[in-house]
């Protein structure tokens, strides 16, 4: 409401947003941005309501999910695909200036190794056992229809994230595993602390879980602090951001980090994200867990990769428990971040893409994680692709049947349309040729001043009600016979007949002579439009014949891909099940090799391909508002600019 009011006061620049993450997790957020910053653009295109916007840029996708037994797939419909992306990007760039860190080239520290360092940690036996219980919970949800208030997929995903952090997050009986992420983090932090002591280098640890103790008393935060102290780091140099429960305490804590008196700061994304300016001495940043959104990763990394950091090189660490939810969370986050970046900068060349939102893993992903074998997920994806290909093949067969049937029917339809067009044209010429002739009622030509009375007398002679349909001839109008059709159930119809008969219904209340004359006028005047309509229908029918002839006999374009993928799928399924090859059959390849071959085959045979640009360029769009103002200010001299703002050009600048 406030934004709309400001837009009314200052059309074109009522409100300005400044954010580093305009799209944090899903493409639907772009609609929200458009509602605030470009309401007129949405309204002018008729998509100001979300339903219209979603119908233009979104699709309901029918996907196939693996069933609990892993042997079949179940259909699921969800709003998950976005289309017409170039047009959506063009609209977005019309009201936004996008400046990425690469474009600005600001002085920031460089990353060691050029990217985040992944610290892989093994999974304990307790974690494997607990992860199998998560899959069992999924089975119960799928098979027994568990009340979602009792258990649901999002809750299982959250528990999987906790389990990836430490098994003691889920079990009071679990023990401290020496190879856990927490222990790897403590070793790394202590090593960096000792190495950077001369410069009083600082570190940040991000962890969104384990802040508060579980009912059985385990807290990841407390254990990290305790183990860091045991490794020789003074307690005064370790701080938890959540302990600063007021703005004054938070500012004081951040000042201690900048000065180097506090050298290890632990907190969540919410506590240490936006507004945390402690980069001065930061040498390392640690992601102990993966957040939900790519925007949160950007906010975390932005604490260290920032202007004002005195270190030339810094390190970002991501701790991942092998075979757990961690790897899939980070992979999903990277995919989302890459797609958001492409949409923001206009480098994305595809017309459609899957949505990047969603906070729960599919059954196939959970199954793959629990098994510790990513080939299980590849198998599920191959099953889904085969299901879609088989559906496309059935549709192709239906199209071939429709083409054969329509090619049998259309010639007769075209002949009928052609004959109707000939008859309509002949009657139209007759009506034009006799346009000045008097109307004939019965067998007598009637002068115009007497037509109403004569026609009324003729209508009065007709019965008011009939038991069966009757057709009464009344006379001749413009060289064409006309009359009235009476029906026991429906209102009477006026008909005009020459080479073809055309009808116009009357109402039961208005069936007098004037109503009949008006209907005759409409019928006689409608020959031209009717000819045009029949001519258009005839053209469509003829083009359909050409189209169906071109389609008839065409093979299914993805037959080879379907056969190859099905064969590889069967071999992969047999390999995962440990089934030995039949006598004389090709030796069974390794499961990992088969999974890679399936991925390569899918990459080379995408069912929905989009043309890729040879050169990277931004999406074309109207010049953003702020860019116009900057350009105009650059073209004018300083004195001229002040004069424009205070003089006659001020209104023109406001309109920009």
């Amino acid at each position: 409401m406030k934004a709309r009011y400001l837009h009314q006061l200052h059309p074109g620049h009522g409100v300005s947003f400044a954010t580093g993450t305009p799209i944090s997790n899903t493409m639907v957020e772009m609609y929200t941005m458009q509602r605030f910053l470009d309401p007129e653009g949405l309204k002018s295109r008729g998509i100001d309501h979300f339903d219209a916007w979603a119908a233009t840029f979104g699709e309901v996708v029918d996907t196939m999910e693996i069933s609990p037994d892993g042997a079949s797939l179940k259909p699921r419909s969800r709003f998950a695909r976005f289309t017409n992306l170039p047009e959506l990007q063009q609209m977005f760039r019309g009201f936004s200036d996008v400046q990425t860190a690469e474009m600005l080239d600001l002085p920031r520290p460089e990353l060691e190794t050029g990217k985040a360092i992944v610290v892989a940690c093994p999974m304990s036996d307790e974690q494997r056992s607990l992860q199998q219980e998560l899959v069992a919970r999924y089975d119960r949800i799928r098979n027994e229809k568990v009340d979602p208030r009792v258990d649901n997929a999002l809750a299982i995903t959250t528990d999987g994230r906790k389990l990836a952090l430490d098994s003691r997050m889920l079990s009071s009986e679990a023990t401290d595993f020496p190879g856990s992420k927490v222990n790897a983090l403590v070793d790394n932090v202590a090593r960096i602390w000792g190495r950077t002591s001369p410069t009083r280098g600082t570190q940040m640890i991000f962890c969104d879980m384990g802040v508060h103790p579980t009912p059985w008393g385990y807290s990841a935060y407390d254990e990290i602090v305790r183990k860091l102290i045991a490794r020789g780091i003074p307690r005064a140099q370790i701080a938890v951001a959540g302990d600063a429960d007021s703005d004054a305490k938070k500012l004081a804590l951040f000042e201690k980090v900048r000065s180097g008196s506090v050298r290890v700061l632990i907190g969540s994304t919410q506590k240490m994200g936006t507004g945390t300016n402690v980069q001065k001495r930061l040498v390392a940043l640690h992601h102990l867990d993966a957040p939900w959104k790519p925007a949160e990763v950007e906010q975390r990394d932005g604490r260290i990769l920032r202007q004002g950091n005195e270190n030339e090189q810094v390190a970002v660490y991501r701790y991942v428990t092998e075979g757990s939810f961690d790897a899939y969370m980070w992979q999903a986050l990277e995919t989302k971040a890459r797609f958001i970046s492409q949409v923001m900068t206009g480098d994305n060349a595809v017309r459609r893409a899957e949505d990047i939102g969603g906070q729960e893993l599919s059954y196939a992903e959970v199954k793959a994680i629990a098994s510790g074998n990513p080939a299980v997920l590849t198998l599920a994806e191959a099953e889904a692709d085969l299901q879609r290909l088989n559906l496309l093949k059935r549709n192709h067969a239906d199209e071939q049947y429709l083409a054969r049937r329509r090619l049998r029917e259309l010639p007769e339809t075209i002949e009928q349309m052609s004959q109707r067009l000939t008859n309509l044209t002949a009657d139209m010429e007759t009506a034009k040729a006799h346009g000045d002739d008097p109307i004939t009622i019965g067998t007598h030509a009637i002068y115009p001043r007497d037509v109403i009375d004569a026609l009324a007398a003729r209508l009065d002679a007709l019965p008011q009600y009939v038991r069966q349909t009757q057709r009464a001839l009344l006379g001749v109008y413009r060289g064409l016979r006309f009359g009235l059709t009476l029906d026991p159930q429906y209102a009477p119809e006026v008909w005009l007949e020459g080479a073809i008969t055309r009808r116009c219904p009357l109402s039961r209340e208005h069936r007098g002579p004037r109503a009949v004359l008006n209907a005759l006028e409409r019928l006689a005047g409608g020959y031209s439009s009717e000819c045009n309509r029949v001519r258009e229908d005839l053209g469509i029918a003829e083009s359909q014949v050409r189209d169906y002839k071109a389609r008839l006999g065409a093979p299914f374009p993805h037959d080879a891909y379907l056969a190859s993928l099905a064969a590889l799928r069967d071999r992969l399924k047999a390999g995962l099940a440990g089934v030995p090859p039949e006598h004389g059959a090709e030796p069974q390849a390794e499961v990992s090799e088969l999974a890679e071959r399936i991925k390569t085959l899918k990459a080379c045979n995408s069912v929905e391909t989009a043309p890729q640009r040879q050169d990277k360029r931004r999406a074309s769009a109207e010049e953003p508002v702020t860019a116009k103002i900057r350009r105009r200010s650059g073209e004018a001299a300083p004195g001229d600019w002040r004069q424009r703002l205070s003089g006659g050009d001020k209104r023109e600048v406001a309109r920009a």
Side-chain angles (χ1 to χ4, degrees):
M1 185 181 296
K2 293 178 182 178
R4 290 180 182 177
Y5 175 70
L6 291 172
H7 277 300
Q8 291 175 359
L9 292 181
H10 311 284
H13 64 289
V15 62
S16 297
F17 284 6
T19 174
T21 52
I23 303 173
S24 63
N25 192 51
T26 172
M27 287 294 296
V28 177
E29 296 171 45
M30 190 173 284
Y31 170 74
T32 303
M33 285 291 174
Q34 290 178 275
R35 283 187 62 221
F36 278 107
L37 299 174
D38 190 29
E40 292 302 321
L42 291 175
K43 189 174 182 180
S44 66
R45 295 172 174 88
I47 53 176
D48 47 331
H49 293 288
F50 179 73
D51 287 349
W53 187 91
T56 304
F57 298 113
E59 286 183 5
V60 175
V61 179
D62 294 325
T63 59
M64 302 303 297
E65 290 186 354
I66 192 170
S67 62
D69 57 6
S72 60
L73 296 171
K74 289 186 176 181
R76 179 188 175 194
S77 299
R78 61 188 179 94
F79 180 69
R81 177 175 292 162
F82 285 85
T83 60
N84 301 321
L85 286 178
E87 290 75 16
L88 182 59
Q89 291 173 241
Q90 182 177 356
M91 291 176 61
F92 179 74
R93 296 302 298 276
F95 61 84
S96 64
D97 283 327
V98 178
Q99 295 294 322
T100 64
E102 290 73 17
M103 296 175 185
L104 296 173
D105 195 23
L106 297 173
R108 301 187 306 167
E110 294 182 357
L111 272 176
E112 290 183 18
T113 72
K115 58 183 179 180
I117 301 171
V118 177
V119 180
C121 304
M123 179 179 282
S124 68
D125 293 338
E126 291 172 331
Q127 284 175 311
R128 289 192 181 91
S129 176
L130 290 170
Q131 192 147 264
Q132 290 298 329
E133 292 182 12
L134 296 182
V135 178
R137 284 169 60 186
Y138 252 106
D139 288 339
R140 287 194 294 271
I141 291 174
R142 296 291 177 138
N143 292 332
E144 302 173 15
K145 305 296 182 183
V146 177
D147 188 338
R149 292 170 295 184
V150 177
D151 200 4
N152 54 70
L154 187 58
I156 294 175
T157 304
T158 302
D159 286 348
R161 295 177 66 228
K162 292 179 181 179
L163 180 62
L165 177 61
D166 199 290
S167 57
R168 288 171 289 177
M169 292 287 293
L170 293 186
S171 174
S172 59
E173 299 177 356
T175 58
D176 185 7
F177 177 54
S180 69
K181 288 201 299 185
V182 172
N183 290 320
L185 168 79
V186 169
D187 292 342
N188 211 11
V189 171
R191 177 181 57 81
I192 296 172
W193 176 83
R195 177 171 57 84
T196 60
S197 290
T199 57
R200 303 189 66 80
T202 59
Q203 303 178 65
M204 293 183 76
I205 301 172
F206 277 98
C207 184
D208 291 344
M209 296 175 298
V211 181
H212 304 291
T214 62
W216 47 90
Y218 177 74
S219 168
Y221 275 45
D222 293 344
E223 184 175 21
I224 291 171
V225 172
R226 179 174 55 81
K227 289 187 174 182
L228 287 176
I229 294 173
R231 294 296 297 268
I233 301 178
R235 180 64 180 88
Q237 294 186 15
I238 305 170
V240 177
D243 294 342
D245 53 4
S246 68
D247 290 341
K249 292 181 180 179
K250 189 178 293 185
L251 290 174
L253 173 61
F254 292 167
E255 180 57 36
K256 289 181 180 179
V257 178
R258 286 192 290 269
S259 66
S261 57
V262 170
R263 297 184 57 197
V264 179
L265 183 60
I266 310 171
S268 63
T269 309
Q270 183 179 5
K271 294 291 185 182
M272 301 195 307
T274 306
T276 304
N277 297 316
V278 295
Q279 66 272 12
K280 184 176 181 180
R281 299 174 184 271
L282 277 180
V283 293
L285 184 142
H286 307 266
H287 295 281
L288 190 56
D289 61 0
W292 280 125
K293 303 176 182 179
E296 293 172 338
V297 179
E298 191 170 347
Q299 288 293 346
R300 287 182 176 189
D301 290 346
R303 299 315 99 203
I304 191 169
L305 300 175
R306 195 177 184 88
Q307 284 180 282
N309 194 323
E310 296 178 349
N311 298 291
E312 294 183 359
Q313 268 198 344
V314 296
V316 174
Y317 295 92
R318 296 177 181 176
Y319 298 84
V320 177
T321 301
E322 295 175 343
S324 73
F325 280 51
D326 279 341
Y328 286 86
M329 291 291 294
W330 282 112
Q331 180 181 354
L333 286 167
E334 289 179 0
T335 302
K336 293 179 182 182
R338 187 184 308 112
F339 184 71
I340 289 174
S341 175
Q342 291 173 346
V343 171
M344 293 288 294
T345 59
D347 288 338
N348 192 17
V350 299
R351 290 205 61 83
R352 59 175 59 193
E354 299 294 325
D355 186 23
I356 53 176
Q359 292 186 347
E360 65 183 64
L361 300 180
S362 68
Y363 180 85
E365 290 169 323
V366 174
K367 196 79 171 179
I369 295 168
S371 67
N373 189 349
V376 176
L377 182 57
T378 303
L379 174 63
E381 292 171 347
E383 294 276 10
D385 278 359
L386 286 170
Q387 184 77 15
R388 184 167 62 253
L389 286 167
N390 284 320
L391 179 61
L392 290 173
K393 189 170 184 177
R394 286 197 296 270
N395 290 340
H396 176 76
D398 291 343
E399 288 180 356
Q400 290 292 305
Y401 169 77
L402 177 63
R404 289 192 296 270
R405 191 187 71 182
R406 293 294 290 160
L407 284 174
R408 290 196 302 267
E409 298 172 348
L410 279 172
E412 183 179 354
T413 302
I414 290 173
E415 183 180 354
Q416 292 173 354
M417 288 182 179
S418 300
Q419 185 61 45
R420 179 174 176 80
L421 181 60
T422 300
N423 294 338
L424 284 169
T425 303
D427 289 349
M428 180 175 64
E429 296 300 328
T430 300
K432 286 181 179 179
H434 298 82
D436 297 330
D437 291 358
I439 297 178
T440 299
I441 305 295
T443 57
H444 302 285
I446 307 299
Y447 292 104
R449 64 177 182 272
D450 299 326
V451 168
I452 296 295
D453 294 336
L455 185 56
R458 183 73 180 89
L459 292 175
D460 289 341
L462 298 177
Q464 187 72 19
Y465 299 101
V466 295
R467 291 187 176 182
Q468 58 184 6
T469 302
Q470 294 184 8
R471 192 169 184 266
L473 175 65
L474 298 180
V476 178
Y477 177 78
R478 295 191 181 183
L480 302 170
R481 294 179 300 163
F482 76 93
L484 208 64
T485 300
L486 304 175
D487 191 274
Q489 296 181 351
Y490 304 104
E493 284 183 338
V494 176
W495 50 268
L496 187 62
E497 186 177 72
I500 194 171
T501 302
R502 299 178 64 236
R503 298 173 179 82
C504 181
L506 300 175
S507 65
R508 292 188 183 275
E509 293 77 14
H510 301 88
R511 48 178 292 181
R514 293 189 182 278
V516 173
L517 289 174
N518 289 337
L520 288 173
E521 186 63 31
R522 288 195 296 272
L523 288 171
Y527 278 111
S528 178
S529 60
E530 182 70 8
C531 284
N532 290 335
R533 187 188 66 79
V534 174
R535 196 174 288 111
E536 290 177 1
D537 291 345
L538 182 60
I540 292 173
E542 290 172 344
S543 65
Q544 285 179 337
V545 169
R546 293 191 295 270
D547 183 48
Y548 286 128
K549 283 182 178 179
R551 290 191 207 176
L552 191 62
F556 179 55
H558 306 294
D559 249 335
Y561 175 37
L562 176 61
S564 300
L565 185 60
L568 286 174
R569 184 275 316 268
D570 293 340
R571 294 178 61 189
L572 179 59
K573 185 182 291 185
L576 289 170
V579 178
E582 296 181 2
H583 180 69
E586 181 182 349
Q588 185 67 43
E590 292 290 336
V591 166
S592 58
E593 179 187 345
L594 289 170
E596 287 301 321
R597 288 170 64 180
I598 288 177
K599 291 178 182 178
T600 303
L601 182 66
K602 288 172 60 179
C604 298
N605 295 274
S606 178
V607 176
E608 294 177 355
T609 57
Q612 299 293 326
R613 298 187 185 137
Q614 296 299 321
D615 58 330
K616 290 188 176 181
R617 58 181 180 88
R618 293 186 179 181
S620 58
E622 55 185 289
E623 188 176 12
V625 173
T626 52
K628 291 180 183 177
I629 296 175
R630 287 200 303 269
R631 176 174 53 78
R632 292 184 180 182
S633 65
E635 293 172 355
D640 296 337
W641 175 248
R642 288 192 294 271
Q643 182 180 359
R644 290 173 64 187
L645 283 178
S646 59
D649 285 339
K650 185 175 181 180
R651 185 175 302 170
E652 182 64 24
V653 174
R655 276 202 301 268

